[in-house]
Amino acid sequence: MEEIKNIVERLIKKTGISQEMIIEQIHDGWSRIAGGRLCSKTEPFKFNEGKLFIYADNSTVKSELGYISREIIKKANEAAGTDAVKEVVIRIKG
């Protein structure tokens, strides 16, 4: 029997609202995902085709996020209840 999670993911993909829902869930859980120190210096702003786009305040923060990108992907997927996040793209805010 197919898992409910897979059925829901397929349904969400068909309706076209999945990307908005995913970024909203990630944004809501950002303090847990990024951690206390990085949370105030970063912001997830877009999710599209498996890529989570994040603003960083400066190049130092961008580098730090790069080092923990796999952990961010894992925690973002946990927060969204999916495995849709495959890559992190970091931009300097400005």
Side-chain angles (χ1 to χ4, degrees):
M1 184 170 201
E2 189 174 8
E3 287 185 30
I4 294 289
K5 178 182 172 184
N6 294 337
I7 295 170
V8 171
E9 284 181 3
R10 275 200 343 258
L11 179 63
I12 288 173
K13 284 179 184 177
K14 286 182 181 180
T15 63
I17 60 172
S18 65
Q19 295 189 17
E20 292 84 12
M21 288 176 56
I22 289 170
I23 191 62
E24 183 177 318
Q25 290 171 325
I26 290 170
H27 201 275
D28 289 347
W30 190 242
S31 62
R32 263 183 300 111
I33 295 167
R37 193 175 66 74
L38 286 176
C39 176
S40 63
K41 299 176 182 184
T42 59
E43 179 185 4
F45 68 93
K46 180 179 170 183
F47 177 77
N48 189 19
E49 297 181 6
K51 295 179 184 178
L52 173 61
F53 293 82
I54 303 169
Y55 280 135
D57 282 355
N58 56 54
S59 60
T60 303
V61 174
K62 180 180 177 180
S63 293
E64 288 183 54
L65 283 176
Y67 292 129
I68 62 167
S69 62
R70 287 183 186 207
E71 185 177 338
I72 288 174
I73 290 168
K74 180 182 176 225
K75 289 180 178 180
N77 281 327
E78 288 171 0
T82 184
D83 63 351
V85 180
K86 305 291 186 200
E87 183 180 345
V88 171
V89 178
I90 307 159
R91 305 268 192 253
I92 295 177
K93 193 172 189 175

